[in-house]
């Protein structure tokens, strides 16, 4: 940072002109330090405290361009105003290309001192602006690096959270499965099996998030495939050996994926229990886009419903389906033309904005 009284290092082997510069620039508010040649100038610069340099070209030993080259190798070197004779325009251009902040031509009419004052003041201001710009850019880069590090840390934490939650839920599902297998009461066994499926539906979402690079969405086709495989493994005997899935690749947010998984679990388990009283039969799950909507269907070729039956019913499973459908803002209906039972769940691929939902109500 430049002090209130900036220090000018004037490097020139002309002692008379150096005295004029000292007198004129001191009156203008500068502290002037003189060096008679390039080597002396570099030695003084190494001591620090220099804000700007005026550098003559023709000197014994190191000339101006050679001295400039050495100055620019110094970290955070002060700006340099290069001083040339009137016929040395090519040298001035070379100095500017090498990194000099400005150049000034010596003259014999007494204008050199005020022009030098303007040049060094301008060089100091430009250097301060450039330094501020560099510091701002460095801060931007540092902020980006910090943000990237925080984002990476957050991703690791989220992945670990999903991993632990998924594992914990899987343990709960396994305990429910063991408890269901150990009971001889059919109603208790059925309740525990249903509860296990509901827990597994949530656990599968966390498992998908743990193995995914995107924590904001779940691929429904992959999720349902894994969920149905869990249901097949948990079913007694071979009652779900003909459970099939036909699903298009559809992305959805994790919260809605949980609701869809629980709906599928309830309707599939309902079909397992009631569709085929005399044994097992096919159960089909299908997921496909329809414009801005997604259509989910769970169907069987079993005994079907009577004319007055409502697939939403009043049982626990049906109440859960209704609650999850409300979470999805979904429309649930039974296909009356299907010979067995076919329940259709239609919901928006992307949920409507809250304002739109309020207006619709």
């Amino acid at each position: 940072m430049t002090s209130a009284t900036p220090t000018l290092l004037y490097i020139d082997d002309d002692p008379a002109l150096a005295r004029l510069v000292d007198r004129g620039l001191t009156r203008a508010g500068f502290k002037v330090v003189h060096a008679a040649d390039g080597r002396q100038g570099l030695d003084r610069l190494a001591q620090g405290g220099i804000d700007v340099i005026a550098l003559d070209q023709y000197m014994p030993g190191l000339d101006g361009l050679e001295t400039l080259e050495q100055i620019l190798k110094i970290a955070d070197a002060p700006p340099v105003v290069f001083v040339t004779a009137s016929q040395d325009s090519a040298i001035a251009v070379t100095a500017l290309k090498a990194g000099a902040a400005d150049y000034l031509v010596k003259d014999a009419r007494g204008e050199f001192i005020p022009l030098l004052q303007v040049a060094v003041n301008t060089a100091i201001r430009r250097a301060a602006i450039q330094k501020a710009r560099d510091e701002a850019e460095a801060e931007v880069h540092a902020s980006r690096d910090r943000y990237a590090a925080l984002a990476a840390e957050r991703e690791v934490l989220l992945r670990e959270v999903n991993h632990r939650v998924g594992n914990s839920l899987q343990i709960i599902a396994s305990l429910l499965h063991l408890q269901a297998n150990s009971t001889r009461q059919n109603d208790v066994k059925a309740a525990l099996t249903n509860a296990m499926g509901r827990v597994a539906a949530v656990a599968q979402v966390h498992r998908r998030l743990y193995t995914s690079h995107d924590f904001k969405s779940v691929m429904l086709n992959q999720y349902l495939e894994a969920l149905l495989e869990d249901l097949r493994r948990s079913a007694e005997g071979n009652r779900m050996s003909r459970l099939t899935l036909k699903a298009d690749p559809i992305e959805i947010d994790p919260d809605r994926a949980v609701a869809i998984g629980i709906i599928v679990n309830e309707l599939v388990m309902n079909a397992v229990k009631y569709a085929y009283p005399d044994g097992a039969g096919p159960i089909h799950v299908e997921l496909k886009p329809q414009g801005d909507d997604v259509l989910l269907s769970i169907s069987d070729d079993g005994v079907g419903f009577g004319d007055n039956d409502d697939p939403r019913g009043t049982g626990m499973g049906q109440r859960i389906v209704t609650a999850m459908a409300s979470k999805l803002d979904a429309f649930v209906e039974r296909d009356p033309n299907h010979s067995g039972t076919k329940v259709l769940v239609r919901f928006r691929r992307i949920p409507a904005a809250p304002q739109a939902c309020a207006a619709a109500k």
Side-chain angles (χ1 to χ4, degrees), residues 48-64:
I50 302 300
D51 299 301
V52 63
I53 300 169
L55 175 63
D56 189 35
Q57 165 60 11
Y58 295 108
M59 297 180 295
L62 295 176
D63 65 17

Side-chain angles (χ1 to χ4, degrees), residues 50-341:
I50 302 300
D51 299 301
V52 63
I53 300 169
L55 175 63
D56 189 35
Q57 165 60 11
Y58 295 108
M59 297 180 295
L62 295 176
D63 65 17
L65 289 176
E66 292 170 334
T67 305
L68 176 63
E69 181 181 0
Q70 296 300 315
I71 291 172
L72 296 178
K73 291 180 180 179
I74 301 172
D76 298 322
V80 177
V81 174
F82 205 78
V83 179
T84 68
S86 59
Q87 69 273 21
D88 292 335
S89 58
I91 293 178
V93 171
T94 302
L96 291 175
K97 289 181 177 180
D102 201 351
Y103 77 94
L104 188 63
V105 177
K106 292 182 181 179
D107 66 73
R109 295 175 295 176
E111 296 181 3
F112 177 68
I113 301 303
L115 289 175
L116 179 60
Q117 177 186 342
V118 172
V120 295
N121 276 324
T122 301
I124 290 173
R125 285 195 299 271
R126 287 177 179 171
I129 292 171
Q130 185 61 48
K131 183 178 181 181
R133 183 184 296 116
D134 292 343
E135 289 175 350
E137 290 179 356
E139 181 58 31
V140 168
H141 289 304
S143 297
R144 288 176 180 170
D145 292 342
R146 287 194 295 269
Y147 176 80
L150 289 172
E153 181 181 1
R154 176 178 176 272
E155 181 175 330
V156 170
L157 290 175
L158 283 174
R159 195 179 300 279
E160 181 63 21
V161 166
N162 282 305
H163 179 52
R164 294 193 179 205
V165 171
N167 282 349
S168 297
L169 291 173
Q170 191 59 50
I171 291 172
I172 294 171
S174 299
L175 292 174
L176 290 171
H177 182 61
L178 290 173
Q179 191 67 44
N181 288 339
S182 66
T183 184
R184 296 181 180 179
Q185 301 179 41
N186 290 335
D187 57 341
V188 174
K189 183 185 293 289
L192 290 172
T193 301
N194 286 343
M196 179 189 65
R198 293 159 190 156
V199 173
V202 181
Q204 270 297 340
V205 169
H206 288 281
R207 205 172 302 163
R208 298 253 77 77
L209 293 175
Y210 168 64
T211 57
S212 171
H213 294 293
D214 182 6
F215 297 103
K216 296 181 180 179
S217 65
V218 173
M219 293 299 299
L220 269 181
N221 56 319
Q222 298 173 0
Y223 166 55
L224 291 178
E225 182 178 359
L227 178 61
L228 295 186
E229 183 58 34
D230 283 348
L231 291 177
R232 289 189 192 96
R233 285 198 300 266
S234 67
E236 293 185 21
N238 199 32
R239 302 220 34 195
M240 288 197 193
S241 61
R242 299 175 65 186
L243 177 59
T244 64
L245 171 67
K246 182 181 179 181
D248 290 348
I250 295 174
E251 279 188 272
I252 200 165
D253 62 273
D255 286 343
R256 303 175 86 221
V258 168
I260 294 165
I262 292 176
I263 289 174
V264 169
N265 175 76
E266 298 302 325
L267 294 177
V268 167
M269 294 304 297
N270 193 64
V272 169
K273 287 188 289 184
Y274 301 117
Y276 303 103
D278 299 327
I283 302 171
H284 308 289
V285 178
E286 186 174 357
L287 182 79
K288 60 183 179 181
Q290 284 193 345
D292 294 333
D293 293 341
V294 177
L295 182 64
L296 170 69
S297 68
I298 297 90
S299 62
D300 61 66
D301 301 325
V303 297
F305 285 85
D307 292 338
N308 296 323
D309 288 325
D310 187 337
R312 290 167 294 184
T314 57
M316 173 64 74
Q318 284 73 27
R319 290 200 297 272
I320 289 175
V321 169
T322 300
M324 294 298 102
S326 177
K327 181 180 178 67
L328 287 170
D329 198 20
F331 181 69
V332 182
E333 63 177 340
R334 179 167 59 91
D335 183 355
N337 299 318
H338 188 75
S339 59
T341 301

Side-chain angles (χ1 to χ4, degrees), residues 2-49:
T2 305
S3 62
T5 303
T7 299
L8 165 68
L9 173 58
Y10 184 70
I11 306 175
D12 191 346
D13 63 339
D14 185 341
L17 186 56
R19 286 192 294 272
L20 291 176
V21 169
D22 188 353
R23 188 180 307 118
L25 272 293
T26 299
R27 285 199 298 264
F30 282 82
K31 177 182 177 182
V32 179
V33 177
H34 177 233
D37 57 42
R39 179 53 56 195
Q40 288 184 22
L42 291 171
D43 291 342
R44 178 59 185 86
L45 181 59
Q47 299 174 25

